[in-house]
Amino acid sequence: MRVEDLSVRFRMPAGRYVEAVTGATFALAPGEALALVGESGCGKSVLASALLGLLPGNAETAGSARLADGLDLLAADERTLARTVRGRRVALVPQSPAAHLTPVRTIRSQLEETVRELTGIRPPALRAAAEAAAGRAAFPASHLDRHPHELSGGLAQRAATALALVGDAPLLLADEPTTGLDRDLVLRTADELRAHTRADGRALLLITHDLAAAERIADTVAVMYAGRIVETAPAGAFFGSPGPRHPYARGLLDALPERAFTPVPGAPPELGALPPGCAFAPRCAAADPLCRTRRPALTEGVACHHA
Ligand SMILES: Nc1ncnc2c1ncn2[C@@H]1O[C@H](COP(=O)(O)OP(=O)(O)OP(=O)(O)O)[C@@H](O)[C@H]1O
């Protein structure tokens, strides 16, 4: 997938706009995992919704997001998205799987329905196909007849992943897939998502504020701040040496308990009232008058006048 200059803004009362995503540009190759990281509210989920055509009615988009076959996800109509994209070309591993699963139906019945819809397999082969789909996400066959509320967080996550994998989509979109999981499960979920990407040549876009999960999964990291991508880097260079180049990205790493455990001072700006220059300038120790007046472009992987 190639995303170019993707912007999303929300029309608000009195002619105001919330600039949720501005000028996002990145590419994602088969077998590659890209982690889009940033604090809550920076526009990560809006970007994911844009790629799935799931934005609310007051959203306006610009730019493009082309799949390898040329389809532009931003320009596609709802019928195309519903029939050929969601689940088939782009699959979503959701945030809070328990909420995403239908509470009143067993996992088996939800898997069978999805297998039937996406692959056309009918009974009597349907039962075995659904069990195979569960197996691909390491969901135990012994728990297939349970309802979502009878599952642990980890198993609910696997059930949601199994549903996402049914359509064999070449692009997996995982929106905060580790939220609410305990540490061991975060690592296990991260490893499983990574394995699904590597083994089958899928591309994975991982949207997360969890840097440990990003480090474990990603080949490439894109850091988002106030709706913009401010740094993209190979994961090895970002988490290892030489480390991040953008002051905000360095701050995110320094905030980790296993590193300096020093939070980034201040708070992100309102997306409806962005400052004229670099949006990070009010929180940045290195900011000078240029930073406060001119917005730095993303050049050679970093959007900072001083990097
Ligand atoms: N329908 C909408 N109308 C107006 N503003 C919206 C709408 N949906 C989202 N926003 C705003 O867009 C911004 C980005 O939200 P988004 O959910 O993408 O952030 P995020 O980085 O994914 O955060 P989180 O991790 O909390 O989900 C937020 O300021 C949010 O208030």
Side-chain angles (χ1 to χ4, degrees):
M1 178 175 63
R2 180 168 288 279
V3 173
E4 294 216 37
D5 230 358
L6 189 164
S7 298
V8 181
R9 60 179 194 169
F10 295 105
R11 228 175 312 107
M12 307 300 281
R16 281 184 53 244
Y17 283 96
V18 171
E19 315 269 348
V21 178
T22 307
T25 297
F26 58 87
L28 194 50
E32 183 182 359
L34 183 141
L36 189 63
V37 302
E39 285 165 295
S40 183
C42 72
K44 309 183 300 290
S45 300
V46 169
L47 195 149
S49 302
L51 298 179
L52 288 163
L54 294 174
L55 288 169
N58 66 333
E60 295 176 3
T61 61
S64 63
R66 287 190 193 283
L67 297 179
D69 58 17
L71 180 79
D72 180 358
L73 297 171
L74 297 188
D77 55 57
E78 174 54 30
R79 188 182 155 94
T80 305
L81 290 166
R83 292 198 170 182
T84 75
V85 174
R86 291 185 207 119
R88 292 183 164 88
R89 286 197 267 187
V90 185
L92 178 70
V93 179
Q95 185 167 10
S96 70
H100 186 78
L101 299 165
T102 307
V104 292
R105 291 174 48 202
T106 65
I107 302 304
R108 182 189 301 281
S109 114
Q110 296 183 54
L111 262 175
E112 286 188 351
E113 181 189 38
T114 306
V115 170
R116 185 179 181 129
E117 198 171 299
L118 293 183
T119 69
I121 294 173
R122 297 276 180 275
L126 187 58
R127 191 177 169 89
E131 288 179 2
R136 285 167 75 193
F139 185 91
S142 56
H143 287 54
L144 274 170
D145 293 312
R146 298 196 179 179
H147 290 81
H149 73 268
E150 298 172 295
L151 300 176
S152 65
L155 285 186
Q157 179 64 53
R158 286 183 185 183
T161 305
L163 286 167
L165 294 176
V166 166
D168 241 338
L171 174 61
L172 275 184
L173 229 153
D175 187 3
E176 301 279 10
T178 57
T179 298
L181 302 184
D182 66 41
R183 210 65 218 150
D184 285 352
L185 269 175
V186 166
L187 299 184
R188 190 151 14 111
T189 304
D191 290 346
E192 285 168 2
L193 278 172
R194 186 74 198 112
H196 291 305
T197 313
R198 281 240 171 83
D200 303 322
R202 290 195 182 87
L204 173 70
L205 179 60
L206 170 73
I207 292 179
T208 189
H209 63 267
D210 183 342
L211 288 165
E215 181 171 11
R216 203 151 173 117
I217 299 179
D219 302 297
T220 314
V221 180
V223 180
M224 232 176 149
Y225 186 75
R228 290 176 177 266
I229 293 179
V230 295
E231 179 163 355
T232 55
F238 187 87
F239 290 107
S241 173
R245 294 154 68 201
H246 195 283
Y248 172 64
R250 283 204 299 272
L252 277 184
L253 282 194
D254 284 346
L256 291 175
E258 60 274 24
R259 300 207 182 199
F261 210 6
T262 315
V264 184
E270 288 276 330
L271 294 178
L274 288 172
C278 171
F280 187 61
R283 302 172 75 185
C284 181
D288 61 14
L290 175 67
C291 305
R292 289 186 197 95
T293 48
R294 180 130 40 97
R295 186 168 292 156
L298 187 72
T299 316
E300 289 173 13
V302 65
C304 174
H305 292 304
H306 301 290

